[in-house]
Amino acid sequence: MTPPSASSAPSSFTRTAFGLIGFACTLACTRYAKDADKAPTMVSRVELQRMSAAKVQAFEQVADLAQEVGVDVYTAAEPFTGALGDFDERLRPVDWEERLVKTYLTFGLLTDFSMALTNSLPEDVGLRLLEVVSQDRFGGFAANELLEDIAAQRQLAARMGLWGRRVVGEEIGTLQRVLSVYPELLGGGVDAAGLHEVLSQGATGRMRDLGLRA
């Protein structure tokens, strides 16, 4: 592939957006593997391991698309290492249900954030990147694991609702801090208020999908 000329070199927004999206793939890969280690059944364990492996493949797809626009995704993703680490330290799940809700909401919001960024990339690359970002089975997996128990146990529903609202608040705050540290992410036509609205609506919908009060 012929490298882009200086006049068509990627913008700082493009580099940073690809970096964040690539990093998100690696983060999901690690989280799904960690959740697999805590799974109560072998079926759940193997399914999570499959999803973890799929995120490695997703990263490779992101890397290929990034190369098309002159971005080395490995270099672009490097600065984000540890960007969400403090969030994990603050919110430690105490059981399987809390773990599922946390992962479901955290990575759902990160997916919404990433999808919003793809809208400001060149259309040909942005649409293909959107397809990669949107391919994730964890939402259906979490619903399958949780819905019946939440519907049947009022106390569990109340506890998961409280936990979910805490997760959402912390995660939106974390992503807003990412924007403050990497203002380049606002350079592609994306604005902070619009991103906050996308995240808020996504969180509300996901909470409701689990039968929880948003």
Side-chain angles (χ1 to χ4, degrees):
M1 178 182 298
T2 302
S5 64
S7 61
S8 62
S11 67
S12 59
F13 167 78
T14 298
R15 287 193 301 271
T16 310
F18 267 104
L20 176 62
I21 292 169
F23 173 71
C25 290
T26 68
L27 198 63
C29 174
T30 302
R31 174 65 62 79
Y32 295 168
K34 287 182 177 179
D35 286 354
D37 195 46
K38 303 292 185 181
T41 69
M42 185 57 65
V43 171
S44 298
R45 180 185 181 90
V46 172
E47 178 60 12
L48 282 162
Q49 289 172 335
R50 287 184 180 129
M51 284 188 272
S52 178
K55 284 301 176 181
V56 177
Q57 297 174 349
F59 179 87
E60 297 296 346
Q61 291 177 288
V62 172
D64 288 344
L65 289 170
Q67 187 178 24
E68 289 187 22
V69 292
V71 173
D72 177 351
V73 78
Y74 291 89
T75 301
E78 192 73 40
F80 291 101
T81 303
L84 303 179
D86 60 337
F87 171 75
D88 275 339
E89 292 299 320
R90 290 195 305 274
L91 287 177
R92 290 186 175 274
V94 300
D95 55 25
W96 177 240
E97 288 80 16
E98 284 193 2
R99 180 174 293 275
L100 281 178
V101 169
K102 178 184 174 182
T103 300
Y104 171 66
L105 293 173
T106 299
F107 286 92
L109 287 167
L110 193 52
T111 295
D112 290 341
F113 191 86
S114 298
M115 289 172 69
L117 294 178
T118 68
N119 291 332
S120 295
L121 291 169
E123 184 176 359
D124 57 336
V125 172
L127 288 174
R128 284 181 287 158
L129 186 58
L130 177 62
E131 184 177 358
V132 174
V133 170
S134 61
Q135 290 177 358
D136 193 301
R137 304 196 305 276
F138 192 89
F141 170 80
N144 186 60
E145 292 274 318
L146 289 169
L147 270 174
E148 186 174 338
D149 288 344
I150 287 175
Q153 301 177 45
R154 184 174 301 176
Q155 186 175 4
L156 178 63
R159 181 165 68 88
M160 289 301 102
L162 183 63
W163 172 250
R165 290 190 292 276
R166 184 181 171 196
V167 169
V168 167
E170 291 279 0
E171 177 70 355
I172 289 179
T174 297
L175 290 174
Q176 288 177 323
R177 286 191 292 276
V178 168
L179 284 177
S180 70
V181 175
Y182 302 99
E184 306 94 320
L185 291 171
L186 298 174
V190 180
D191 65 272
L195 279 171
H196 186 273
E197 181 65 19
V198 167
L199 295 175
S200 297
Q201 290 182 357
T204 298
R206 286 186 174 84
M207 290 281 283
R208 288 176 178 168
D209 287 345
L210 290 181
L212 302 175
R213 184 170 63 85

